[in-house]
Amino acid sequence: AMKLCTLDNYCIFIASRYLETLEDHQNLTKVTKKYMRNMEKFHYNPISLDAKSVELFPNVETLHIYKEGDQYLIGGRIERYVNWEKKVSYFESEEIKRKNTVEEIVFKRLVWTYDDSEIQMNNITESIQIPEGVKEIGEYCLPYKIKQLIIPNSVTIIGYSCFSGCS
């Protein structure tokens, strides 16, 4: 006789991290009583959420911004945002941080742009220090008058013609 195996709560939780829609998560909770509280186990959002659907994941502490249109939701237990969605310039990221009240905002695609260079440029020393955490230096982003550039270890991409025109 063949023995049927069952998935325990932990295995279902791990597998449910790969579900792609809210409907999939809701359907999983209907399979059996032991899976009913599965969405409560998440401390981050495994899918994009809006103001209504975030209530179904009541223990979310880290809100991931996966795609354009995802909202920086407030309230509940949310203490941290992680933005995977788009490239964000350094000074744009600082402005977003100033406008939000959460403890931490992480930008996974942080880019140094020409505007960032112009804002930080020190006319006396003609130098720029790119802050730690910036992942990419954008295309044509450095002003012609720069004499010194300090690049942190976090930079992994240098854009096309980044240094063109530099002395």
Side-chain angles (χ1 to χ4, degrees):
M2 186 193 294
K3 183 179 177 183
L4 293 176
C5 65
T6 60
L7 293 174
D8 64 14
N9 284 330
Y10 179 73
C11 291
I12 283 297
F13 172 70
I14 297 301
S16 69
R17 292 173 26 191
Y18 301 98
L19 298 177
E20 296 182 356
T21 67
L22 182 59
E23 184 179 12
D24 290 341
H25 282 276
Q26 289 174 313
N27 287 337
L28 177 64
T29 64
K30 297 172 186 173
V31 171
T32 180
K33 283 184 180 181
K34 73 179 184 180
Y35 302 156
M36 277 177 49
R37 302 181 85 103
N38 192 64
M39 290 189 285
E40 294 175 18
K41 295 176 185 173
F42 284 95
H43 290 268
Y44 70 94
N45 55 311
I47 57 173
S48 295
L49 298 176
D50 58 27
K52 186 173 181 176
S53 60
V54 74
E55 294 173 8
L56 299 172
F57 293 86
N59 295 315
V60 167
E61 295 170 350
T62 300
L63 184 73
H64 291 269
I65 307 297
Y66 292 113
K67 61 185 179 14
E68 193 167 341
D70 282 359
Q71 303 167 12
Y72 287 95
L73 302 171
I74 56 173
R77 303 177 81 182
I78 297 171
E79 300 173 354
R80 179 175 191 243
Y81 297 131
V82 178
N83 186 319
W84 300 87
E85 174 249 325
K86 66 175 184 170
K87 292 180 181 180
V88 177
S89 75
Y90 177 76
F91 283 100
E92 180 184 1
S93 74
E94 291 298 301
E95 187 63 28
I96 291 171
K97 288 177 183 179
R98 272 192 294 282
K99 289 180 179 178
N100 284 284
T101 59
V102 296
E103 287 182 25
E104 181 182 15
I105 302 177
V106 176
F107 296 91
K108 293 295 189 177
R109 300 183 71 197
L110 197 55
V111 179
W112 190 262
T113 64
Y114 185 83
D115 289 341
D116 292 326
S117 293
E118 285 294 312
I119 290 168
Q120 196 203 48
M121 188 70 168
N122 181 332
N123 291 326
I124 297 168
T125 63
E126 297 175 332
S127 69
I128 291 177
Q129 180 170 355
I130 296 175
E132 186 65 42
V134 171
K135 307 277 188 220
E136 179 178 340
I137 301 174
E139 297 179 357
Y140 304 100
C141 75
L142 300 172
Y144 66 90
K145 52 191 169 195
I146 187 174
K147 300 244 191 271
Q148 180 185 24
L149 176 65
I150 301 167
I151 301 174
N153 290 334
S154 61
V155 171
T156 57
I157 299 170
I158 295 177
Y160 178 78
S161 291
C162 172
F163 300 105
S164 67
C166 293
S167 46

